[in-house]
Amino acid sequence: GVRYHHVSTDEVYGDLALDDPAKFTEETPYHPSSPYSSTKASSDMLVRAWTRTYGLRTTISNCSNNYGPYQHVEKFIPRQITNIVDGVRPKLYGRGENVRDWIHTEDHSSAVWDILTKGRTGETYLIG
């Protein structure tokens, strides 16, 4: 049957801390820290409400930052690479204590395919 899959972000769980070894799980409470992550958290809640209220067959995935071929040059990883190639010192944000998780687009799309073909309706999957 038909199912709706909602691609979300791990940012709904809040910020990763350098000194905190804890990782997000499907049970981690939502703690969005920006307008972007707040709208993603609310869209996750809408999908869950559609499932509960209307019986819509849904799955949700929360994923980290993607990188890969054809990514716009202004995005973080391509910009760092072009800076190095051009002899420009790469940018360090803040004091360099920020933590960011990355996944290649092919790994992300593979995981979404697995969810679409093997996932259980109503489940949320973390991809990282």
Side-chain angles (χ1 to χ4, degrees):
V2 176
R3 178 176 16 163
Y4 173 80
H5 180 71
H6 178 64
V7 176
S8 189
T9 176
D10 63 356
E11 291 183 44
V12 298
Y13 300 112
D15 299 325
L16 286 171
L18 187 59
D19 57 354
D20 183 3
K23 302 294 180 210
F24 304 134
T25 71
E26 293 84 349
E27 288 79 36
T28 301
Y30 278 20
H31 192 70
S33 60
S34 70
Y36 168 76
S37 59
S38 296
T39 60
K40 291 301 275 188
S42 63
S43 66
D44 291 3
M45 297 300 181
L46 261 174
V47 170
R48 289 186 181 113
W50 292 335
T51 300
R52 182 175 177 180
T53 304
Y54 303 113
L56 185 67
R57 297 183 64 228
T58 66
T59 47
I60 297 172
S61 61
N62 299 100
C63 187
S64 56
N65 297 284
N66 281 237
Y67 72 95
Y70 310 108
Q71 189 170 28
H72 194 279
V73 71
E74 290 301 322
K75 294 295 184 179
F76 183 78
I77 291 177
R79 175 53 63 212
Q80 298 301 338
I81 293 168
T82 58
N83 280 349
I84 292 168
V85 168
D86 293 341
V88 176
R89 184 178 176 153
K91 290 186 180 178
L92 183 65
Y93 295 105
R95 297 185 323 182
E97 296 178 356
N98 297 359
V99 176
R100 229 170 181 194
D101 192 25
W102 295 91
I103 186 170
H104 193 275
T105 57
E106 290 179 12
D107 293 328
H108 185 192
S109 60
S110 254
V112 170
W113 181 251
D114 282 345
I115 294 167
L116 288 171
T117 58
K118 301 172 192 167
R120 291 193 325 237
T121 297
E123 289 294 318
T124 297
Y125 297 90
L126 268 58
I127 302 172

